[in-house]
Amino acid sequence: MTAFGAPDLAVLLLYMAGVTAWGAWLGRANKGGSDYFLGSRNLPWWAVMLSVVATETSTLTFLSIPGVAYLGTMAFLQLALGYLVGRMVVARVLLPAYYRGQLSTAYALLETRFGTGARRYASGIFMVTRLLADSVRLFATAIPLALITGWSYPVSILVIGAFTLVYTYFGGIKAVVWVDALQMLLYVSGGLIALLLLQGAVEGGWSAIIERASAAGKLQVLDFSTSPAVAYTFWAGLVGGGFLSMASHGTDQLIVQRLLTCRDVRQSQRALIGSGLAVIVQFALFLFVGLGLWAFFDGRAFDSSDAIFASFIIDEMPTGLRGLLIAGVFAAAMSSLSSSINSLASATTYDFWRPLVGRGGGRAAAAAGNDSGVGPGSGSESGSGAAPDDRSAMLAGKVFTLVWAGLLVAGAIIFIPLSQGTAAVEVALAAASMAYGGLLGGFALGVLFQRVSQAGAVIGMTAGVGTVVVIWATARTAVAWPWFVFIGLVVTVVVGLLFRRRQ
């Protein structure tokens, strides 16, 4: 047991209980699949923007990025530049395509172009990738809870999963988005509080921290090295980060689902581009926290880089405030976990279950926007109740919510023995990047090349993902993970173009 006292525990438990109850209450008006998975397409863009940022960064930003700066430099910030460029491309190219069809998942767009097989294959890749990446995120959050309570990692993971599952199960996407917005504000406030405390905790304050960090070369942001083995360079950030953002925000149901809850394409574009600007500020904030921690701890070694900030919060912060900061850690984790559970349940419901039981999801339905009646103004989703088949989609989605929550918890527990000597943020991003290139390549084949067949798209995606997995398994010291998406994209497109239909 640490110095985490009764007042801190009270703050933490009150926060978690309050958020869980509020999130469940937000879903009280859900009538069908459109409400449960798409918020009736009527959520404000600024709330969606905050939800996107909270979903993609979460605990990995709060705990892991300070560890990146602690062990290295500010070069991680170069990725954020590419993230913004990638979002701009998605806002221009893919979002209008999604809204033209009023589609229910990101992968319905592939169905309108290639067929059901391509949609299900891409959705399956998303599910496996999301399960791997977000299991790591969940594990990272168990670190401070285990330090606080003395519980084992498995017990800590189960507690976090249980609280998050309740409001996700009852509240649906409305609860996810609104709770995300609140939780992002909380954990960013936690970062700002940490900066203020470090000002007083380090002799000489931030002027001394900056001076020491500069002398050690830790303030370096731009690295123009052309070596593919170096993860954080200007070129890896601009190209690798750009393509990673195009894939994650243009082809990953986790993010696309949030963007589809906006009223129209212009609101969705505001949410997407605004999130890119917010991420730059957020990354900078937590990298500076890492520099302050490096000065405070005088660069001493920790068992895990993800434990550095958590240790500072638990051992050094005043009573009460410590509880608030730990609540920020859980806010970050719950936002990401709830988003993952809901998006996985959505993809399972609309990409697999619904077509199999014969209730829509077919190619014509997807193209016309009739897949579950989710288009704006569709009568089946509003008013006194939802159409029977849409209500069944919501009920099926709740079952899949339970299933995916269990799988994510199990994945986080499995990651425990693999965590030594790694930063969770890098593990999660590498896991996602291995699949993102193939997904982005599949969308590129569908949007930019009219003569590629469904077989070409599926084989191309398989080749793209397979190539990156082989690189990761055999040559990851020679090729850094930010290049994975670009490599997967190129391989997917080149292979897919071999299967062009004759006109």
Side-chain angles (χ1 to χ4, degrees), residues 55-56 58 60 126-141 252 254 333 335-341 343-344 407-409 411-412 428 431-432 436:
T55 296
E56 67 178 308
S58 67
L60 298 187
F126 153 73
M127 291 175 182
V128 173
T129 303
R130 188 48 51 201
L131 177 62
L132 292 174
D134 287 335
S135 292
V136 176
R137 292 173 187 260
L138 178 54
F139 164 76
T141 314
D252 191 330
L254 181 75
S335 68
S336 181
L337 184 60
S338 64
S339 299
S340 295
I341 294 171
S343 62
L344 285 164
L407 290 173
L408 284 163
V409 167
Y436 277 157

PDB file of all heavy atoms in Angstrom, residues 55-56 58 60 126-141 252 254 333 335-341 343-344 407-409 411-412 428 431-432 436:
ATOM      1  N   THR A  55     -10.245   9.402 -27.350  1.00  0.00           N
ATOM      2  CA  THR A  55     -10.209   8.008 -27.785  1.00  0.00           C
ATOM      3  C   THR A  55      -8.829   7.615 -28.297  1.00  0.00           C
ATOM      4  O   THR A  55      -8.316   6.541 -27.969  1.00  0.00           O
ATOM      5  CB  THR A  55     -11.251   7.773 -28.898  1.00  0.00           C
ATOM      6  OG1 THR A  55     -12.559   7.999 -28.360  1.00  0.00           O
ATOM      7  CG2 THR A  55     -11.173   6.367 -29.445  1.00  0.00           C
ATOM      8  N   GLU A  56      -8.215   8.470 -29.094  1.00  0.00           N
ATOM      9  CA  GLU A  56      -6.952   8.079 -29.736  1.00  0.00           C
ATOM     10  C   GLU A  56      -5.742   8.253 -28.831  1.00  0.00           C
ATOM     11  O   GLU A  56      -4.684   7.665 -29.096  1.00  0.00           O
ATOM     12  CB  GLU A  56      -6.742   8.880 -31.020  1.00  0.00           C
ATOM     13  CG  GLU A  56      -6.499  10.356 -30.802  1.00  0.00           C
ATOM     14  CD  GLU A  56      -6.251  11.102 -32.102  1.00  0.00           C
ATOM     15  OE1 GLU A  56      -5.379  10.659 -32.861  1.00  0.00           O
ATOM     16  OE2 GLU A  56      -6.926  12.121 -32.344  1.00  0.00           O
ATOM     17  N   SER A  58      -5.770   9.002 -24.788  1.00  0.00           N
ATOM     18  CA  SER A  58      -6.121   8.357 -23.531  1.00  0.00           C
ATOM     19  C   SER A  58      -4.928   8.077 -22.620  1.00  0.00           C
ATOM     20  O   SER A  58      -4.028   8.880 -22.470  1.00  0.00           O
ATOM     21  CB  SER A  58      -6.896   7.069 -23.814  1.00  0.00           C
ATOM     22  OG  SER A  58      -6.060   6.131 -24.442  1.00  0.00           O
ATOM     23  N   LEU A  60      -2.383   6.244 -22.864  1.00  0.00           N
ATOM     24  CA  LEU A  60      -1.064   6.222 -23.477  1.00  0.00           C
ATOM     25  C   LEU A  60      -0.455   7.617 -23.525  1.00  0.00           C
ATOM     26  O   LEU A  60       0.761   7.774 -23.480  1.00  0.00           O
ATOM     27  CB  LEU A  60      -1.152   5.632 -24.879  1.00  0.00           C
ATOM     28  CG  LEU A  60      -1.647   4.186 -24.943  1.00  0.00           C
ATOM     29  CD1 LEU A  60      -1.529   3.658 -26.361  1.00  0.00           C
ATOM     30  CD2 LEU A  60      -0.871   3.301 -23.990  1.00  0.00           C
ATOM     31  N   PHE A 126      -9.795  -4.938 -38.664  1.00  0.00           N
ATOM     32  CA  PHE A 126      -9.999  -3.903 -37.645  1.00  0.00           C
ATOM     33  C   PHE A 126     -10.195  -4.527 -36.263  1.00  0.00           C
ATOM     34  O   PHE A 126      -9.607  -4.079 -35.272  1.00  0.00           O
ATOM     35  CB  PHE A 126     -11.218  -3.057 -38.004  1.00  0.00           C
ATOM     36  CG  PHE A 126     -11.892  -2.426 -36.813  1.00  0.00           C
ATOM     37  CD1 PHE A 126     -11.307  -1.362 -36.145  1.00  0.00           C
ATOM     38  CD2 PHE A 126     -13.108  -2.919 -36.345  1.00  0.00           C
ATOM     39  CE1 PHE A 126     -11.923  -0.797 -35.035  1.00  0.00           C
ATOM     40  CE2 PHE A 126     -13.728  -2.361 -35.244  1.00  0.00           C
ATOM     41  CZ  PHE A 126     -13.137  -1.299 -34.584  1.00  0.00           C
ATOM     42  N   MET A 127     -11.011  -5.571 -36.198  1.00  0.00           N
ATOM     43  CA  MET A 127     -11.315  -6.169 -34.896  1.00  0.00           C
ATOM     44  C   MET A 127     -10.067  -6.742 -34.229  1.00  0.00           C
ATOM     45  O   MET A 127      -9.827  -6.514 -33.036  1.00  0.00           O
ATOM     46  CB  MET A 127     -12.366  -7.274 -35.067  1.00  0.00           C
ATOM     47  CG  MET A 127     -13.741  -6.758 -35.433  1.00  0.00           C
ATOM     48  SD  MET A 127     -14.885  -8.116 -35.758  1.00  0.00           S
ATOM     49  CE  MET A 127     -16.353  -7.188 -36.223  1.00  0.00           C
ATOM     50  N   VAL A 128      -9.267  -7.471 -34.997  1.00  0.00           N
ATOM     51  CA  VAL A 128      -8.058  -8.065 -34.436  1.00  0.00           C
ATOM     52  C   VAL A 128      -7.088  -6.971 -33.991  1.00  0.00           C
ATOM     53  O   VAL A 128      -6.515  -7.021 -32.893  1.00  0.00           O
ATOM     54  CB  VAL A 128      -7.389  -8.997 -35.465  1.00  0.00           C
ATOM     55  CG1 VAL A 128      -6.041  -9.483 -34.942  1.00  0.00           C
ATOM     56  CG2 VAL A 128      -8.288 -10.188 -35.777  1.00  0.00           C
ATOM     57  N   THR A 129      -6.919  -5.960 -34.832  1.00  0.00           N
ATOM     58  CA  THR A 129      -5.996  -4.873 -34.517  1.00  0.00           C
ATOM     59  C   THR A 129      -6.435  -4.114 -33.277  1.00  0.00           C
ATOM     60  O   THR A 129      -5.633  -3.819 -32.376  1.00  0.00           O
ATOM     61  CB  THR A 129      -5.909  -3.900 -35.705  1.00  0.00           C
ATOM     62  OG1 THR A 129      -5.510  -4.616 -36.863  1.00  0.00           O
ATOM     63  CG2 THR A 129      -4.930  -2.783 -35.417  1.00  0.00           C
ATOM     64  N   ARG A 130      -7.716  -3.782 -33.218  1.00  0.00           N
ATOM     65  CA  ARG A 130      -8.228  -3.026 -32.078  1.00  0.00           C
ATOM     66  C   ARG A 130      -8.114  -3.835 -30.794  1.00  0.00           C
ATOM     67  O   ARG A 130      -7.788  -3.302 -29.729  1.00  0.00           O
ATOM     68  CB  ARG A 130      -9.690  -2.647 -32.366  1.00  0.00           C
ATOM     69  CG  ARG A 130     -10.323  -1.711 -31.375  1.00  0.00           C
ATOM     70  CD  ARG A 130      -9.488  -0.518 -31.055  1.00  0.00           C
ATOM     71  NE  ARG A 130      -9.005   0.205 -32.211  1.00  0.00           N
ATOM     72  CZ  ARG A 130      -7.977   1.020 -32.204  1.00  0.00           C
ATOM     73  NH1 ARG A 130      -7.273   1.197 -31.093  1.00  0.00           N
ATOM     74  NH2 ARG A 130      -7.603   1.652 -33.283  1.00  0.00           N
ATOM     75  N   LEU A 131      -8.372  -5.110 -30.877  1.00  0.00           N
ATOM     76  CA  LEU A 131      -8.253  -5.958 -29.697  1.00  0.00           C
ATOM     77  C   LEU A 131      -6.820  -5.946 -29.156  1.00  0.00           C
ATOM     78  O   LEU A 131      -6.597  -5.800 -27.949  1.00  0.00           O
ATOM     79  CB  LEU A 131      -8.687  -7.384 -30.037  1.00  0.00           C
ATOM     80  CG  LEU A 131      -8.564  -8.422 -28.914  1.00  0.00           C
ATOM     81  CD1 LEU A 131      -9.452  -8.044 -27.736  1.00  0.00           C
ATOM     82  CD2 LEU A 131      -8.937  -9.804 -29.437  1.00  0.00           C
ATOM     83  N   LEU A 132      -5.838  -6.069 -30.052  1.00  0.00           N
ATOM     84  CA  LEU A 132      -4.436  -6.084 -29.623  1.00  0.00           C
ATOM     85  C   LEU A 132      -4.022  -4.736 -29.037  1.00  0.00           C
ATOM     86  O   LEU A 132      -3.445  -4.654 -27.949  1.00  0.00           O
ATOM     87  CB  LEU A 132      -3.537  -6.444 -30.815  1.00  0.00           C
ATOM     88  CG  LEU A 132      -3.645  -7.873 -31.346  1.00  0.00           C
ATOM     89  CD1 LEU A 132      -2.813  -8.020 -32.617  1.00  0.00           C
ATOM     90  CD2 LEU A 132      -3.210  -8.886 -30.302  1.00  0.00           C
ATOM     91  N   ALA A 133      -4.299  -3.651 -29.781  1.00  0.00           N
ATOM     92  CA  ALA A 133      -3.831  -2.323 -29.361  1.00  0.00           C
ATOM     93  C   ALA A 133      -4.492  -1.864 -28.069  1.00  0.00           C
ATOM     94  O   ALA A 133      -3.830  -1.326 -27.167  1.00  0.00           O
ATOM     95  CB  ALA A 133      -4.091  -1.307 -30.476  1.00  0.00           C
ATOM     96  N   ASP A 134      -5.804  -2.087 -27.934  1.00  0.00           N
ATOM     97  CA  ASP A 134      -6.494  -1.551 -26.766  1.00  0.00           C
ATOM     98  C   ASP A 134      -6.393  -2.452 -25.543  1.00  0.00           C
ATOM     99  O   ASP A 134      -6.649  -2.009 -24.423  1.00  0.00           O
ATOM    100  CB  ASP A 134      -7.948  -1.243 -27.108  1.00  0.00           C
ATOM    101  CG  ASP A 134      -8.042  -0.007 -27.993  1.00  0.00           C
ATOM    102  OD1 ASP A 134      -7.126   0.824 -27.936  1.00  0.00           O
ATOM    103  OD2 ASP A 134      -9.015   0.126 -28.737  1.00  0.00           O
ATOM    104  N   SER A 135      -6.015  -3.697 -25.743  1.00  0.00           N
ATOM    105  CA  SER A 135      -5.660  -4.515 -24.588  1.00  0.00           C
ATOM    106  C   SER A 135      -4.418  -3.931 -23.907  1.00  0.00           C
ATOM    107  O   SER A 135      -4.314  -3.905 -22.670  1.00  0.00           O
ATOM    108  CB  SER A 135      -5.391  -5.958 -25.023  1.00  0.00           C
ATOM    109  OG  SER A 135      -6.576  -6.577 -25.473  1.00  0.00           O
ATOM    110  N   VAL A 136      -3.481  -3.432 -24.714  1.00  0.00           N
ATOM    111  CA  VAL A 136      -2.279  -2.790 -24.171  1.00  0.00           C
ATOM    112  C   VAL A 136      -2.656  -1.514 -23.422  1.00  0.00           C
ATOM    113  O   VAL A 136      -2.139  -1.225 -22.332  1.00  0.00           O
ATOM    114  CB  VAL A 136      -1.265  -2.484 -25.285  1.00  0.00           C
ATOM    115  CG1 VAL A 136      -0.057  -1.740 -24.728  1.00  0.00           C
ATOM    116  CG2 VAL A 136      -0.835  -3.772 -25.975  1.00  0.00           C
ATOM    117  N   ARG A 137      -3.563  -0.735 -23.996  1.00  0.00           N
ATOM    118  CA  ARG A 137      -4.008   0.498 -23.333  1.00  0.00           C
ATOM    119  C   ARG A 137      -4.616   0.182 -21.960  1.00  0.00           C
ATOM    120  O   ARG A 137      -4.358   0.880 -20.979  1.00  0.00           O
ATOM    121  CB  ARG A 137      -5.051   1.210 -24.198  1.00  0.00           C
ATOM    122  CG  ARG A 137      -4.534   1.782 -25.504  1.00  0.00           C
ATOM    123  CD  ARG A 137      -5.720   2.308 -26.325  1.00  0.00           C
ATOM    124  NE  ARG A 137      -5.338   2.736 -27.653  1.00  0.00           N
ATOM    125  CZ  ARG A 137      -5.137   3.994 -28.022  1.00  0.00           C
ATOM    126  NH1 ARG A 137      -5.271   4.947 -27.139  1.00  0.00           N
ATOM    127  NH2 ARG A 137      -4.804   4.291 -29.250  1.00  0.00           N
ATOM    128  N   LEU A 138      -5.446  -0.840 -21.925  1.00  0.00           N
ATOM    129  CA  LEU A 138      -6.091  -1.201 -20.661  1.00  0.00           C
ATOM    130  C   LEU A 138      -5.051  -1.637 -19.629  1.00  0.00           C
ATOM    131  O   LEU A 138      -5.130  -1.276 -18.459  1.00  0.00           O
ATOM    132  CB  LEU A 138      -7.109  -2.316 -20.909  1.00  0.00           C
ATOM    133  CG  LEU A 138      -7.846  -2.864 -19.682  1.00  0.00           C
ATOM    134  CD1 LEU A 138      -8.524  -1.747 -18.899  1.00  0.00           C
ATOM    135  CD2 LEU A 138      -8.876  -3.909 -20.112  1.00  0.00           C
ATOM    136  N   PHE A 139      -4.065  -2.404 -20.049  1.00  0.00           N
ATOM    137  CA  PHE A 139      -3.006  -2.814 -19.123  1.00  0.00           C
ATOM    138  C   PHE A 139      -2.288  -1.600 -18.539  1.00  0.00           C
ATOM    139  O   PHE A 139      -1.987  -1.563 -17.335  1.00  0.00           O
ATOM    140  CB  PHE A 139      -1.995  -3.723 -19.830  1.00  0.00           C
ATOM    141  CG  PHE A 139      -0.711  -3.859 -19.069  1.00  0.00           C
ATOM    142  CD1 PHE A 139      -0.633  -4.659 -17.948  1.00  0.00           C
ATOM    143  CD2 PHE A 139       0.421  -3.137 -19.459  1.00  0.00           C
ATOM    144  CE1 PHE A 139       0.543  -4.759 -17.225  1.00  0.00           C
ATOM    145  CE2 PHE A 139       1.602  -3.241 -18.737  1.00  0.00           C
ATOM    146  CZ  PHE A 139       1.662  -4.050 -17.619  1.00  0.00           C
ATOM    147  N   ALA A 140      -2.001  -0.598 -19.388  1.00  0.00           N
ATOM    148  CA  ALA A 140      -1.272   0.578 -18.911  1.00  0.00           C
ATOM    149  C   ALA A 140      -2.017   1.276 -17.787  1.00  0.00           C
ATOM    150  O   ALA A 140      -1.403   1.829 -16.860  1.00  0.00           O
ATOM    151  CB  ALA A 140      -1.031   1.550 -20.070  1.00  0.00           C
ATOM    152  N   THR A 141      -3.337   1.237 -17.815  1.00  0.00           N
ATOM    153  CA  THR A 141      -4.115   1.890 -16.779  1.00  0.00           C
ATOM    154  C   THR A 141      -4.107   1.110 -15.481  1.00  0.00           C
ATOM    155  O   THR A 141      -4.319   1.678 -14.404  1.00  0.00           O
ATOM    156  CB  THR A 141      -5.570   2.044 -17.245  1.00  0.00           C
ATOM    157  OG1 THR A 141      -5.557   2.528 -18.571  1.00  0.00           O
ATOM    158  CG2 THR A 141      -6.329   3.013 -16.382  1.00  0.00           C
ATOM    159  N   ASP A 252     -10.488   3.226 -39.636  1.00  0.00           N
ATOM    160  CA  ASP A 252     -10.665   2.528 -38.361  1.00  0.00           C
ATOM    161  C   ASP A 252     -12.038   2.881 -37.791  1.00  0.00           C
ATOM    162  O   ASP A 252     -12.336   4.042 -37.513  1.00  0.00           O
ATOM    163  CB  ASP A 252      -9.561   2.956 -37.384  1.00  0.00           C
ATOM    164  CG  ASP A 252      -9.520   2.079 -36.141  1.00  0.00           C
ATOM    165  OD1 ASP A 252     -10.575   1.564 -35.749  1.00  0.00           O
ATOM    166  OD2 ASP A 252      -8.430   1.917 -35.570  1.00  0.00           O
ATOM    167  N   LEU A 254     -13.159   2.652 -34.955  1.00  0.00           N
ATOM    168  CA  LEU A 254     -13.068   3.313 -33.658  1.00  0.00           C
ATOM    169  C   LEU A 254     -13.257   4.822 -33.791  1.00  0.00           C
ATOM    170  O   LEU A 254     -13.961   5.452 -32.993  1.00  0.00           O
ATOM    171  CB  LEU A 254     -11.702   3.019 -33.028  1.00  0.00           C
ATOM    172  CG  LEU A 254     -11.457   3.620 -31.646  1.00  0.00           C
ATOM    173  CD1 LEU A 254     -12.216   2.846 -30.593  1.00  0.00           C
ATOM    174  CD2 LEU A 254      -9.966   3.637 -31.320  1.00  0.00           C
ATOM    175  N   ALA A 333      -8.304   6.158 -19.463  1.00  0.00           N
ATOM    176  CA  ALA A 333      -8.461   4.745 -19.815  1.00  0.00           C
ATOM    177  C   ALA A 333      -9.891   4.406 -20.173  1.00  0.00           C
ATOM    178  O   ALA A 333     -10.168   3.702 -21.138  1.00  0.00           O
ATOM    179  CB  ALA A 333      -8.020   3.884 -18.649  1.00  0.00           C
ATOM    180  N   SER A 335     -12.208   6.302 -21.322  1.00  0.00           N
ATOM    181  CA  SER A 335     -12.639   6.886 -22.599  1.00  0.00           C
ATOM    182  C   SER A 335     -12.214   6.010 -23.755  1.00  0.00           C
ATOM    183  O   SER A 335     -12.982   5.750 -24.689  1.00  0.00           O
ATOM    184  CB  SER A 335     -12.058   8.296 -22.760  1.00  0.00           C
ATOM    185  OG  SER A 335     -10.654   8.253 -22.926  1.00  0.00           O
ATOM    186  N   SER A 336     -10.988   5.523 -23.709  1.00  0.00           N
ATOM    187  CA  SER A 336     -10.489   4.679 -24.792  1.00  0.00           C
ATOM    188  C   SER A 336     -11.160   3.310 -24.789  1.00  0.00           C
ATOM    189  O   SER A 336     -11.553   2.787 -25.826  1.00  0.00           O
ATOM    190  CB  SER A 336      -8.979   4.519 -24.676  1.00  0.00           C
ATOM    191  OG  SER A 336      -8.479   3.726 -25.727  1.00  0.00           O
ATOM    192  N   LEU A 337     -11.290   2.721 -23.603  1.00  0.00           N
ATOM    193  CA  LEU A 337     -11.879   1.385 -23.513  1.00  0.00           C
ATOM    194  C   LEU A 337     -13.341   1.387 -23.934  1.00  0.00           C
ATOM    195  O   LEU A 337     -13.786   0.495 -24.658  1.00  0.00           O
ATOM    196  CB  LEU A 337     -11.738   0.867 -22.077  1.00  0.00           C
ATOM    197  CG  LEU A 337     -12.231  -0.560 -21.823  1.00  0.00           C
ATOM    198  CD1 LEU A 337     -11.474  -1.555 -22.694  1.00  0.00           C
ATOM    199  CD2 LEU A 337     -12.096  -0.911 -20.345  1.00  0.00           C
ATOM    200  N   SER A 338     -14.092   2.384 -23.492  1.00  0.00           N
ATOM    201  CA  SER A 338     -15.512   2.443 -23.871  1.00  0.00           C
ATOM    202  C   SER A 338     -15.661   2.617 -25.376  1.00  0.00           C
ATOM    203  O   SER A 338     -16.549   2.014 -25.999  1.00  0.00           O
ATOM    204  CB  SER A 338     -16.208   3.596 -23.136  1.00  0.00           C
ATOM    205  OG  SER A 338     -15.682   4.854 -23.525  1.00  0.00           O
ATOM    206  N   SER A 339     -14.797   3.427 -25.973  1.00  0.00           N
ATOM    207  CA  SER A 339     -14.841   3.628 -27.422  1.00  0.00           C
ATOM    208  C   SER A 339     -14.545   2.330 -28.162  1.00  0.00           C
ATOM    209  O   SER A 339     -15.199   1.996 -29.154  1.00  0.00           O
ATOM    210  CB  SER A 339     -13.835   4.702 -27.830  1.00  0.00           C
ATOM    211  OG  SER A 339     -14.129   5.930 -27.217  1.00  0.00           O
ATOM    212  N   SER A 340     -13.560   1.594 -27.682  1.00  0.00           N
ATOM    213  CA  SER A 340     -13.199   0.339 -28.323  1.00  0.00           C
ATOM    214  C   SER A 340     -14.346  -0.664 -28.252  1.00  0.00           C
ATOM    215  O   SER A 340     -14.700  -1.303 -29.251  1.00  0.00           O
ATOM    216  CB  SER A 340     -11.967  -0.262 -27.653  1.00  0.00           C
ATOM    217  OG  SER A 340     -10.856   0.561 -27.846  1.00  0.00           O
ATOM    218  N   ILE A 341     -14.915  -0.802 -27.071  1.00  0.00           N
ATOM    219  CA  ILE A 341     -16.004  -1.767 -26.901  1.00  0.00           C
ATOM    220  C   ILE A 341     -17.165  -1.437 -27.817  1.00  0.00           C
ATOM    221  O   ILE A 341     -17.707  -2.308 -28.503  1.00  0.00           O
ATOM    222  CB  ILE A 341     -16.463  -1.782 -25.422  1.00  0.00           C
ATOM    223  CG1 ILE A 341     -15.348  -2.326 -24.527  1.00  0.00           C
ATOM    224  CG2 ILE A 341     -17.729  -2.616 -25.267  1.00  0.00           C
ATOM    225  CD1 ILE A 341     -15.637  -2.171 -23.036  1.00  0.00           C
ATOM    226  N   SER A 343     -17.259   0.465 -30.598  1.00  0.00           N
ATOM    227  CA  SER A 343     -16.963   0.368 -32.030  1.00  0.00           C
ATOM    228  C   SER A 343     -16.825  -1.087 -32.470  1.00  0.00           C
ATOM    229  O   SER A 343     -17.252  -1.461 -33.569  1.00  0.00           O
ATOM    230  CB  SER A 343     -15.677   1.138 -32.368  1.00  0.00           C
ATOM    231  OG  SER A 343     -14.568   0.594 -31.698  1.00  0.00           O
ATOM    232  N   LEU A 344     -16.251  -1.932 -31.628  1.00  0.00           N
ATOM    233  CA  LEU A 344     -16.154  -3.351 -31.951  1.00  0.00           C
ATOM    234  C   LEU A 344     -17.538  -3.987 -32.012  1.00  0.00           C
ATOM    235  O   LEU A 344     -17.819  -4.796 -32.904  1.00  0.00           O
ATOM    236  CB  LEU A 344     -15.283  -4.062 -30.908  1.00  0.00           C
ATOM    237  CG  LEU A 344     -13.778  -3.819 -31.030  1.00  0.00           C
ATOM    238  CD1 LEU A 344     -13.061  -4.222 -29.744  1.00  0.00           C
ATOM    239  CD2 LEU A 344     -13.204  -4.578 -32.214  1.00  0.00           C
ATOM    240  N   LEU A 407     -13.118  -9.920 -23.940  1.00  0.00           N
ATOM    241  CA  LEU A 407     -11.910 -10.194 -24.719  1.00  0.00           C
ATOM    242  C   LEU A 407     -10.832  -9.144 -24.461  1.00  0.00           C
ATOM    243  O   LEU A 407      -9.639  -9.468 -24.380  1.00  0.00           O
ATOM    244  CB  LEU A 407     -12.257 -10.243 -26.212  1.00  0.00           C
ATOM    245  CG  LEU A 407     -13.081 -11.456 -26.668  1.00  0.00           C
ATOM    246  CD1 LEU A 407     -13.497 -11.307 -28.129  1.00  0.00           C
ATOM    247  CD2 LEU A 407     -12.291 -12.750 -26.465  1.00  0.00           C
ATOM    248  N   LEU A 408     -11.221  -7.879 -24.324  1.00  0.00           N
ATOM    249  CA  LEU A 408     -10.238  -6.821 -24.052  1.00  0.00           C
ATOM    250  C   LEU A 408      -9.593  -7.007 -22.683  1.00  0.00           C
ATOM    251  O   LEU A 408      -8.380  -6.811 -22.514  1.00  0.00           O
ATOM    252  CB  LEU A 408     -10.911  -5.449 -24.155  1.00  0.00           C
ATOM    253  CG  LEU A 408     -11.183  -4.965 -25.583  1.00  0.00           C
ATOM    254  CD1 LEU A 408     -12.208  -3.833 -25.578  1.00  0.00           C
ATOM    255  CD2 LEU A 408      -9.894  -4.497 -26.249  1.00  0.00           C
ATOM    256  N   VAL A 409     -10.399  -7.364 -21.704  1.00  0.00           N
ATOM    257  CA  VAL A 409      -9.848  -7.624 -20.369  1.00  0.00           C
ATOM    258  C   VAL A 409      -8.875  -8.803 -20.421  1.00  0.00           C
ATOM    259  O   VAL A 409      -7.769  -8.749 -19.854  1.00  0.00           O
ATOM    260  CB  VAL A 409     -10.988  -7.904 -19.371  1.00  0.00           C
ATOM    261  CG1 VAL A 409     -10.442  -8.480 -18.072  1.00  0.00           C
ATOM    262  CG2 VAL A 409     -11.763  -6.623 -19.083  1.00  0.00           C
ATOM    263  N   GLY A 411      -7.173  -9.860 -23.016  1.00  0.00           N
ATOM    264  CA  GLY A 411      -5.975  -9.446 -23.738  1.00  0.00           C
ATOM    265  C   GLY A 411      -5.033  -8.628 -22.877  1.00  0.00           C
ATOM    266  O   GLY A 411      -3.807  -8.773 -22.957  1.00  0.00           O
ATOM    267  N   ALA A 412      -5.599  -7.738 -22.034  1.00  0.00           N
ATOM    268  CA  ALA A 412      -4.762  -6.924 -21.147  1.00  0.00           C
ATOM    269  C   ALA A 412      -4.017  -7.798 -20.149  1.00  0.00           C
ATOM    270  O   ALA A 412      -2.849  -7.562 -19.835  1.00  0.00           O
ATOM    271  CB  ALA A 412      -5.631  -5.902 -20.413  1.00  0.00           C
ATOM    272  N   ALA A 428       1.309  -0.240 -28.612  1.00  0.00           N
ATOM    273  CA  ALA A 428      -0.034  -0.093 -29.162  1.00  0.00           C
ATOM    274  C   ALA A 428       0.003   0.497 -30.577  1.00  0.00           C
ATOM    275  O   ALA A 428      -0.718   0.038 -31.475  1.00  0.00           O
ATOM    276  CB  ALA A 428      -0.879   0.795 -28.252  1.00  0.00           C
ATOM    277  N   ALA A 431       1.311  -2.125 -33.029  1.00  0.00           N
ATOM    278  CA  ALA A 431       0.305  -3.150 -33.308  1.00  0.00           C
ATOM    279  C   ALA A 431      -0.733  -2.639 -34.297  1.00  0.00           C
ATOM    280  O   ALA A 431      -1.121  -3.336 -35.243  1.00  0.00           O
ATOM    281  CB  ALA A 431      -0.366  -3.589 -32.002  1.00  0.00           C
ATOM    282  N   ALA A 432      -1.183  -1.406 -34.097  1.00  0.00           N
ATOM    283  CA  ALA A 432      -2.161  -0.829 -35.017  1.00  0.00           C
ATOM    284  C   ALA A 432      -1.559  -0.600 -36.398  1.00  0.00           C
ATOM    285  O   ALA A 432      -2.206  -0.853 -37.421  1.00  0.00           O
ATOM    286  CB  ALA A 432      -2.689   0.488 -34.446  1.00  0.00           C
ATOM    287  N   TYR A 436      -2.907  -1.159 -40.327  1.00  0.00           N
ATOM    288  CA  TYR A 436      -3.455   0.060 -40.931  1.00  0.00           C
ATOM    289  C   TYR A 436      -3.068   0.230 -42.400  1.00  0.00           C
ATOM    290  O   TYR A 436      -3.851   0.739 -43.198  1.00  0.00           O
ATOM    291  CB  TYR A 436      -2.999   1.283 -40.145  1.00  0.00           C
ATOM    292  CG  TYR A 436      -3.830   1.592 -38.927  1.00  0.00           C
ATOM    293  CD1 TYR A 436      -3.293   2.331 -37.872  1.00  0.00           C
ATOM    294  CD2 TYR A 436      -5.144   1.163 -38.827  1.00  0.00           C
ATOM    295  CE1 TYR A 436      -4.051   2.633 -36.754  1.00  0.00           C
ATOM    296  CE2 TYR A 436      -5.904   1.454 -37.705  1.00  0.00           C
ATOM    297  CZ  TYR A 436      -5.357   2.191 -36.675  1.00  0.00           C
ATOM    298  OH  TYR A 436      -6.104   2.498 -35.567  1.00  0.00           O
TER     299      TYR A 436
END
